[in-house]
Amino acid sequence: MSRALPSRLGRATVAGAAVAGALAVSVPAPAHAEATTNLVVNGDFEQVAVDGTIVGWPQSENRASGRAQVLDGAGPDGSRALALDLGNADDKAAIGQDVPIPDTGTFRAYRITFDERAVGLTGYGGDLWARGFGHDALIGRVTGDTPWRKASAVVLARPSAPTVNLLLALERSTGRLLVDNVRVERVEGDVVGANVQPTGAVQLTWNFGTLAQPAASYEVHRSEDRNFTPGRKTLIRSVPAAWTAEDGSARPGKRYTYKVVALAADGTRLATTGAETVTTPSRFLDEQQTDVLTATTTGQGARLAWRLKAGSRTPVTLLAGGPEVAQGQLGKARKVRTCGADDTTGAVTLSAKDLKGATGFALTGRNGEVLATASLGSLAHPRMGVTDERLSAIRAAIQQSGTPRSTYDSLVNRVAKGLPAYNYRPGEAQASLAHDAALLYQVTQDPAYARIAYEAVVESGRTMPFVNGTAHAGAAALETANAATPLATAYDWTYQAWTEDQRAEAQKVLQRVAAYLEVAYQPNFALPTKQSNWTAVVRGAELTLRLAVRGDGPFDLQEERIPQLIDDLGRHLDTAYSDTGWDQEGLDYFGYGLGVGAPGITGSLDAGIGALKEKWERPRFANLLLHTVSAQADKARLQWGVATSTGGVPIPGLIFTQVPADQRAAWLWQYERTVGGGGGTYGLLHYPYGVAPQDPDEAPESVRAALLDDHVGSYLFRSRYQDKDDVLVGVQNRNEQHIGWGGSDTFALSLVGQDVTWAQQPAKNTSKPELFSKPLVDGKPEPLAGRGRTLESRAYAGQGGGFVSLDGSGNYQLGTARRDIAVDLRPTGGADSVVAVHDTFADAAARTYAWQLSPEAGTAITFGESESGATTFLFRKGDGWLKGWILNAEGAQLSVEKGAFRVVRSGTEADFRIVLAVGKGATVPTAVAEGSTLALGDTSFDLDDLKGHVPAAG
C-alpha cells in the first residue's frame, strides 16, 4: 500500500526563515458554548507592584540574561504588555501562574487565548506552555518578526487535575516576545481547538460536552469554507476514541476551518463540534537536519521517498543497484532520477521494470556526495528484530544450558504469571506482557502466546492513562511512550497469527497512541538540542510504532512523519552521547531512554533506512559499561548524573546491535556475568550466537585502557575484569551541560572495589550533602555546570589507570579550582590500587572548603592517626579497606558527618593533598611521607607533581 506524499512536504521551506505572514486565529463562539469569565489573574498585565513584580504571576524561571517586565503602551491596543527578553540562547525568560480549576469528575475543556508578537526572535522562539493537567500543550509558538496576532487552543483537564499551569516562556532563542490579554475560559458543549505551529502543523484538540459517553471514533474535517458541512470531501483523517490529533497536510498561507464529528460504533453521527478557523503561516519553518531516504517494496515495484536537510539547495540524483549501493559504494550504481534544487522532499514509485531487481539505493548531491542511503525494505510482518536466521539460532540455543536458555525460561515463567509479574503503570504493564508473549509466539509458534499478546494489547489501549484521565500530571507523554514501544513490537511480531478483526482492533489502539504522541509536548524533547532522555523515549517510541504499522489498515507509509522522527533521534544520538557513550544523565536514564527509544533506531535499520546507522554505532556503549559496572553481587557501578550506585546493566541486549566487532567478545564476557538470563526479549533476539566470550583482560587495548573523555570531562578507570575485587574509579568534571537531568559532578569521585562502594554520589538526593564524594564550598556543591575544562589527560601504559588535570573554577565560580589526580591501578605496597589527589582552591573571599568522601552505608570510619608526618583515615567494611593519607594536614579539621568523612579548611585559599589506597584483608599498609611526597612500597607519589607520575608497567 502506498500513497502520495502529503502536500505539506512539497512546500516546506528552509529552517531559520522568519515566519512571515499571519498566524492569526479567529475564535468564534463554539456551538452550545456559554460565556465564561477569565480565570487568569492579571492576564492583561495592567497590574504591577511597586517593586516591579508582576501581580498574579509569581512563578519565575528567568535565568541569567532572561528578563520579564511590563512595558507601558506596548500592547496591541496601546495598553501595557509583558515583554520577555533573552540575550543568550542558553538562558531563559519565563513567568507563570497556576489557574485553579474545579473537579467535576470528568474531562473539562478550557480555551486558552492570548495576543503575541515576536520582535527579532532567533532560534526556537517563544510560546505559552500549558502544563500540569494531564497533557502538556505548547500554544502560540512564534519566531522571527511578526505583527500582533492571536493564539488559541482548547486544552483538556483530566479528572482530579487541580490547576492548569501557564508558563510564558522564551528559550533557545534571542530577542523579545511581547504578550498581552491572556485568557483561560471554561468552554461547554462540543468544541474543537486548532493550534498552529510555525512548522505548519495544526494541532487539534476536541471535547464533546453534550455526549454522556465517549464516541467510538472521531472524524476530523477541514475546509476553506467557513460554513461548510462535513462530508466525504472534507474528511482529512479518522481516529478511534481519541481527543487529539495533528493535521500535517496543511498548506502555507491558507485560512482553514476545522470541525470534528463524533461517531457511534456503527458509524452513526452523534454530534459535530462548532467551527474553529485558523490561518497558517505564509511560509513554514523547516527544522529537518538529517537527510533521510526510504525504500519500500510495493508488490513487484518499490516506493522511494526522501527528505533533505532544511535549506538544501542542490539537485539530487537517485541511484539504484545491489546491496553495496546502500553502503555508499556507487561504482556499479545506475541513475534512476535527477530532481531539481528547489525542493527538500521528493518521492518516486518504481515499477518492477524500472526497479530491475535493485535492492540498494543512494541519494547524491551536486558533486556526487552521498546524502542518504537505503536498502529495499519489506512490509511483511515481522519487520523489526525478528528474522528467520535469528529464530533458528534461538531455537537451537534453548535446547541446551546457557544464557539463551535461561533468558528464554525467564520469559516463559514471566508470561505464565501474567499481569502480576509486570509491575508497571496501567497500559505499560499490559503492553510489556504483550511484547514478551509476542516474541515467545515467534520462537514457539504456539497460538496461545499470540492470544495472550492480543488480549494484552487491547487491555493496554483500554487502560492507557492519557485515554482514561489517570495520567500523571506532566508525564503523560512518557507514560504513553513507555507503552508504545512494546505495543508496536507486539503488533509486529504477532500480526500474522491474528485474524483481520484482531488486527483492526489492535490498529485502533495504535492509532490512538500515535494521535496523542503527535501533539505531545515537553520542552526537553521539543527544543532543538534533543539531548534529554525525553527525546529518546517519546520520539523513539513513536518511530517504533510508525515503523510497525506503516502501510497497514488506516496507516499510510508515514513518509512525512518517519523522517522527522529519525531526525530527532539522529540529533539525540549526535548530542546526548559522547564518543565514549557518556551521557550526562547517568546510567539509569541512559538505560531508560535507549531501552524505550533504541528499538525505533534498530527498527529503522531493519526497514532499510540508513540515516541512523553511523550515528547509532558511533558511541562506544559497550566499552562504557565495561568500565563502569562491577562484578559485585549488588552490581555496584560508577556514578555520575542522577544514576544510583547499584543496578542492572542498561539496555544490554540492544548494545549487541552496535558494539564494534573487536569488543563484542569482551562485552559478551561482561554480559554473561552481569546480566546472564535477565536480558529479556532483546537479550534473546540479539545475543551473539556463535561468538565465544573473551576475558576482557585479554581483549584489545581499547577495552583495557582508561576511557578519557576530554570533551565532556569524564574519566573512567578499571583495574581488571575478574570478580568483586576489581577496582573501578570514575572522575568527572562537567565540561558540558544540556537541558535534562544532570548532576553536580565537578571534581566528583566514584570508587568501587573489594565488594564495597568507597565513594558514592547522591543521584537525585542532592539535598543531602553527606552523599557527595567531592569538594563542597560553604557546604554546597558547585552552582553551575558545563563550564569545566580539561587541562590534560593521559592513560598509563600496561594498566587501566591514568592521570587527569582539571579546571573546575567556572563551575565552582571561584578564582581557582584545580584538580590533579593520578589513578594507579597496579597492586603496590600491599594495596590493590592507589588514587592520589591534589585539589587547589582560591578566591577573593574567605570560604569553607570541605573535601569529602561518602562510602556506602555500614562502612566503619576512623581517623586522626599520625603516620610518618601524614594524618590518616581508614574505612572498613567486610574484609575490605580504604586507607587515606592527608599530607600537610596542619590547619585542617577532620570529622565524620552523617556517614561521610570530611577534611575541612577555611580561608581565601585551600589545598588538599590526599592519597587513597584500597585493598582487603587484616593487614593495612603503611607509608612514608616527606614534604609533598608519599611513598607506598616501592612507589612514590609526589602530590605537587602528579603529572610526572610514571608507574611501572602492570
Side-chain angles (χ1 to χ4, degrees):
M1 175 180 181
S2 63
R3 300 180 184 174
L5 283 168
S7 58
R8 185 166 81 85
L9 271 182
R11 298 167 177 82
T13 54
V14 300
V19 181
L23 208 160
V25 179
S26 171
V27 188
H32 313 295
E34 298 178 2
T36 55
T37 58
N38 185 14
L39 301 178
V40 176
V41 176
N42 193 24
D44 55 7
F45 301 102
E46 296 301 311
Q47 302 174 51
V48 182
V50 175
D51 62 0
T53 58
I54 305 170
V55 175
W57 297 85
Q59 182 181 347
S60 173
E61 294 187 16
N62 295 318
R63 184 173 64 240
S65 67
R67 183 176 55 176
Q69 59 182 324
V70 171
L71 301 180
D72 290 336
D77 58 356
S79 63
R80 287 176 168 176
L82 171 71
L84 297 176
D85 294 289
L86 198 59
N88 188 319
D90 292 330
D91 302 332
K92 186 176 183 178
I95 63 168
Q97 69 172 269
D98 286 332
V99 178
I101 53 179
D103 182 7
T104 61
T106 61
F107 282 104
R108 290 96 69 207
Y110 294 85
R111 188 180 297 278
I112 299 175
T113 61
F114 57 95
D115 297 312
E116 64 178 353
R117 180 186 174 195
V119 182
L121 280 184
T122 64
Y124 180 80
D127 53 69
L128 183 147
W129 181 16
R131 59 187 182 179
F133 55 95
H135 82 283
D136 291 344
L138 172 68
I139 305 168
R141 181 186 162 195
V142 63
T143 188
D145 286 281
T146 70
W148 279 101
R149 69 245 191 125
K150 187 174 291 294
S152 172
V154 169
V155 300
L156 298 185
R158 75 188 191 286
S160 79
T163 63
V164 173
N165 176 257
L166 305 181
L167 186 74
L168 290 163
L170 184 59
E171 50 191 332
R172 301 300 174 189
S173 311
T174 59
R176 168 170 285 181
L177 173 66
L178 293 169
V179 179
D180 201 5
N181 303 318
V182 183
R183 298 186 66 84
V184 174
E185 300 168 308
R186 175 75 184 276
V187 289
E188 306 289 348
D190 303 330
V191 295
V192 61
N195 179 26
V196 183
Q197 301 297 306
T199 58
V202 183
Q203 298 177 343
L204 303 163
T205 305
W206 55 87
N207 186 59
F208 285 82
T210 64
L211 298 181
Q213 298 295 329
S217 63
Y218 300 92
E219 293 179 343
V220 178
H221 292 262
R222 182 188 73 196
S223 176
E224 296 182 46
D225 177 5
R226 171 73 174 79
N227 299 311
F228 79 99
T229 298
R232 181 177 57 84
K233 292 183 178 180
T234 62
L235 177 64
I236 60 173
R237 69 181 297 180
S238 298
V239 287
W243 42 264
T244 186
E246 181 175 280
D247 177 9
S249 63
R251 296 175 59 186
K254 293 290 185 178
R255 186 173 177 83
Y256 289 125
T257 295
Y258 292 91
K259 296 180 182 180
V260 176
V261 178
L263 301 178
D266 62 0
T268 302
R269 289 193 174 191
L270 300 176
T272 301
T273 66
E276 174 83 335
T277 301
V278 300
T279 300
T280 60
S282 60
R283 302 182 71 188
F284 289 169
L285 179 66
D286 186 356
E287 298 176 305
Q288 187 81 10
Q289 294 185 22
T290 306
D291 297 319
V292 180
L293 174 66
T294 61
T296 310
T297 57
T298 55
Q300 298 300 312
R303 171 73 173 181
L304 282 79
W306 57 89
R307 182 164 184 171
L308 304 180
K309 296 176 183 177
S312 295
R313 284 290 180 267
T314 179
V316 295
T317 300
L318 181 64
L319 303 174
E324 74 282 355
V325 177
Q327 305 302 318
Q329 302 169 24
L330 309 181
K332 298 181 180 180
R334 59 182 172 84
K335 183 187 299 185
V336 174
R337 173 138 338 156
T338 298
C339 300
D342 295 329
D343 208 339
T344 57
T345 63
V348 60
T349 299
L350 302 179
S351 67
K353 181 179 179 181
D354 296 330
L355 192 61
K356 297 179 182 178
T359 59
F361 305 89
L363 205 63
T364 60
R366 183 189 304 274
N367 299 314
E369 71 278 16
V370 176
L371 303 176
T373 63
S375 297
L376 193 59
S378 172
L379 294 182
H381 294 279
R383 305 172 179 176
M384 297 184 292
V386 175
T387 65
D388 290 341
E389 181 181 11
R390 289 176 187 170
L391 289 175
S392 295
I394 292 170
R395 289 165 184 157
I398 63 177
Q399 300 305 313
Q400 52 192 335
S401 62
T403 296
R405 176 55 188 259
S406 59
T407 305
Y408 172 77
D409 289 344
S410 176
L411 286 171
V412 169
N413 292 335
R414 193 180 191 199
V415 171
K417 293 177 182 177
L419 205 56
Y422 295 83
N423 186 27
Y424 309 130
R425 297 180 190 269
E428 298 174 39
Q430 293 89 343
S432 297
L433 170 59
H435 169 86
D436 288 352
L439 183 64
L440 291 178
Y441 165 72
Q442 282 292 328
V443 173
T444 66
Q445 293 297 293
D446 183 345
Y449 285 124
R451 184 174 62 254
I452 293 171
Y454 171 73
E455 292 171 352
V457 166
V458 173
E459 184 65 10
S460 175
R462 190 186 68 80
T463 60
M464 196 76 68
F466 82 88
V467 171
N468 61 27
T470 61
H472 174 65
L478 288 179
E479 295 172 354
T480 306
N482 291 345
T485 289
L487 281 174
T489 51
Y491 170 86
D492 179 38
W493 295 344
T494 46
Y495 180 93
Q496 296 293 353
W498 291 344
T499 66
E500 285 296 336
D501 287 343
Q502 288 175 323
R503 294 169 186 170
E505 286 301 311
Q507 287 163 6
K508 290 178 182 178
V509 173
L510 296 175
Q511 277 184 282
R512 287 200 300 275
V513 173
Y516 176 76
L517 291 178
E518 287 170 356
V519 302
Y521 172 74
Q522 213 281 343
N524 283 19
F525 71 73
L527 295 178
T529 49
K530 310 299 181 188
Q531 290 139 318
S532 168
N533 73 81
W534 277 83
T535 299
V537 173
V538 178
R539 297 310 194 208
E542 187 184 349
L543 178 59
T544 308
L545 187 156
R546 295 188 181 276
L547 290 168
V549 301
R550 64 187 185 127
D552 291 349
F555 296 95
D556 61 23
L557 289 180
Q558 311 288 292
E559 290 174 343
E560 176 190 20
R561 189 67 176 178
I562 284 176
Q564 295 177 24
L565 297 171
I566 285 176
D567 178 48
D568 279 353
L569 287 167
R571 284 193 267 169
H572 176 72
L573 290 171
D574 287 345
T575 59
Y577 312 97
S578 67
D579 287 348
T580 64
W582 183 92
D583 163 45
Q584 81 164 30
E585 301 184 356
L587 291 183
D588 290 334
Y589 281 96
F590 163 80
Y592 169 49
L594 291 179
V596 179
I601 298 170
T602 58
S604 75
L605 302 179
D606 291 337
I609 305 169
L612 296 180
K613 186 176 188 300
E614 291 184 3
K615 297 175 183 290
W616 173 237
E617 294 176 349
R618 176 189 59 84
R620 295 296 185 247
F621 294 138
N623 207 5
L624 178 84
L625 297 179
L626 280 163
H627 279 78
T628 54
V629 181
S630 75
Q632 296 179 188
D634 61 357
K635 298 180 182 178
R637 55 194 187 173
L638 300 181
Q639 290 178 268
W640 65 88
V642 292
T644 52
S645 60
T646 60
V649 178
I651 61 165
L654 289 165
I655 286 178
F656 283 122
T657 67
Q658 62 96 252
V659 59
D662 67 339
Q663 296 179 8
R664 188 173 296 124
W667 168 240
L668 180 57
W669 167 285
Q670 172 90 338
Y671 180 94
E672 297 278 10
R673 285 155 180 75
T674 60
V675 179
T681 54
Y682 295 113
L684 197 59
L685 267 180
H686 300 300
Y687 187 89
Y689 299 99
V691 175
Q694 180 187 27
D695 184 343
D697 286 333
E698 299 173 1
E701 180 71 13
S702 61
V703 172
R704 293 180 285 111
L707 284 188
L708 309 177
D709 195 331
D710 292 341
H711 177 68
V712 299
S714 176
Y715 304 91
L716 306 172
F717 310 91
R718 183 164 187 160
S719 65
R720 59 178 194 165
Y721 296 87
Q722 298 303 319
D723 53 39
K724 64 183 181 181
D725 292 333
D726 304 344
V727 178
L728 290 75
V729 181
V731 178
Q732 307 292 330
N733 198 46
R734 292 308 308 278
N735 295 350
E736 184 180 85
Q737 163 78 358
H738 63 70
I739 192 170
W741 285 109
S744 299
D745 292 334
T746 311
F747 292 2
L749 179 65
S750 189
L751 176 57
V752 173
Q754 297 78 40
D755 210 17
V756 183
T757 296
W758 298 116
Q760 65 180 336
Q761 297 300 332
K764 291 184 178 180
N765 295 318
T766 54
S767 62
K768 298 180 178 180
E770 67 273 12
L771 297 180
F772 285 98
S773 293
K774 58 172 290 161
L776 303 176
V777 180
D778 295 332
K780 300 178 181 179
E782 71 279 17
L784 297 178
R787 303 185 184 185
R789 293 190 304 126
T790 296
L791 305 177
E792 184 176 346
S793 68
R794 72 174 188 274
Y796 291 149
Q799 60 156 292
F803 166 78
V804 182
S805 181
L806 305 173
D807 181 351
S809 58
N811 291 341
Y812 276 107
Q813 293 290 279
L814 298 172
T816 300
R818 174 168 173 163
R819 164 166 285 185
D820 284 2
I821 184 167
V823 180
D824 191 342
L825 298 183
R826 302 168 304 136
T828 182
D832 290 344
S833 298
V834 179
V835 178
V837 187
H838 184 188
D839 288 346
T840 306
F841 298 94
D843 200 39
R847 300 183 181 276
T848 298
Y849 299 90
W851 195 98
Q852 181 169 289
L853 279 186
S854 177
E856 68 178 60
T859 302
I861 303 175
T862 57
F863 61 89
E865 298 292 329
S866 295
E867 185 177 302
S868 182
T871 300
T872 67
F873 54 93
L874 182 65
F875 296 1
R876 277 193 177 276
K877 188 169 186 183
D879 60 354
W881 51 260
L882 176 147
K883 185 174 182 179
W885 292 266
I886 306 168
L887 279 68
N888 310 110
E890 296 80 6
Q893 298 177 342
L894 279 57
S895 65
V896 174
E897 304 288 341
K898 297 182 179 180
F901 173 71
R902 287 183 173 181
V903 182
V904 178
R905 294 182 183 276
S906 298
T908 56
E909 297 181 353
D911 202 72
F912 301 91
R913 296 177 176 88
I914 298 175
V915 177
L916 309 173
V918 293
K920 62 185 297 186
T923 303
V924 179
T926 58
V928 176
E930 183 176 350
S932 64
T933 300
L934 184 97
L936 185 62
D938 58 0
T939 302
S940 294
F941 297 87
D942 184 348
L943 277 297
D944 285 345
D945 184 25
L946 290 177
K947 177 180 178 180
H949 181 67
V950 181

